[in-house]
Amino acid sequence: AETGAMQFSVPILIALLSAWWLGERLSAPRWAAIVGGFAGVLLVIRPGSAAFHPAILLSALNALLYAAFNLLTRRMAANESPQAMQLISAAGAALVLAPFALAVVWWTWADWSGYTKRKAMERDDQRKQDRINRHLEAIGQKPRDARRR
């Protein structure tokens, strides 16, 4: 419910940011609607209560970015063609999401090839051998690695 309520703040943010960024004038009834809408969002989110979780700030960031995207689209519509706007949006998304896609490809390959399991097993084997060596040293015997040399 809190995340949904935070997304209802997008039109409020668009109105506020358009006054600042695009120079649009906000009348008194619009200001009243903005204040009322913001009060409604706060009523659902309940900041300061036990139900409030700091992760809601990620939803607030999402709402702010979505509002900025809408304003950027509105501003670009005056000067750019729809094709250019689509290309810019797609290229921006591709650049932002590319590292995540590469991480998914890496982990898929590592799991498929057994690379991550092999590394984990090697690490476990080394811990086991270190523990054995510590116990051997504690009873006065030489560790296996020392005997091989």
Side-chain angles (χ1 to χ4, degrees):
E2 288 85 7
T3 303
M6 187 57 73
Q7 293 309 310
F8 287 129
S9 69
V10 170
I12 299 166
L13 293 171
I14 289 173
L16 288 173
L17 292 174
S18 66
W20 170 68
W21 195 28
L22 300 177
E24 293 183 3
R25 292 185 40 89
L26 296 176
S27 62
R30 282 192 180 179
W31 277 110
I34 289 171
V35 169
F38 189 66
V41 169
L42 289 178
L43 181 70
V44 173
I45 295 173
R46 297 181 310 269
S49 72
F52 181 79
H53 192 276
I56 196 72
L57 298 176
L58 291 174
S59 186
L61 177 64
N62 179 33
L64 185 64
L65 290 174
Y66 186 56
F69 173 75
N70 280 308
L71 288 175
L72 184 62
T73 303
R74 188 187 300 177
R75 186 172 190 149
M76 288 175 61
N79 303 327
E80 299 291 337
S81 70
Q83 294 86 0
M85 290 173 47
Q86 181 65 35
L87 178 66
I88 291 169
S89 296
L95 287 174
V96 169
L97 296 175
F100 298 106
L102 292 174
V104 168
V105 168
W106 162 256
W107 284 112
T108 302
W109 172 82
D111 285 343
W112 172 79
S113 68
Y115 180 76
T116 52
K117 293 175 187 169
R118 186 172 50 249
K119 288 293 185 183
M121 288 176 20
E122 288 172 359
R123 187 176 56 243
D124 288 345
D125 288 344
Q126 184 61 43
R127 287 179 185 161
K128 182 179 177 182
Q129 189 60 47
D130 290 343
R131 188 173 59 245
I132 291 170
N133 290 343
R134 278 196 315 273
H135 290 301
L136 288 174
E137 287 175 358
I139 61 172
Q141 294 183 357
K142 292 183 180 179
R144 287 185 188 174
D145 294 338
R147 282 191 236 155
R148 291 181 187 166
R149 293 180 187 159

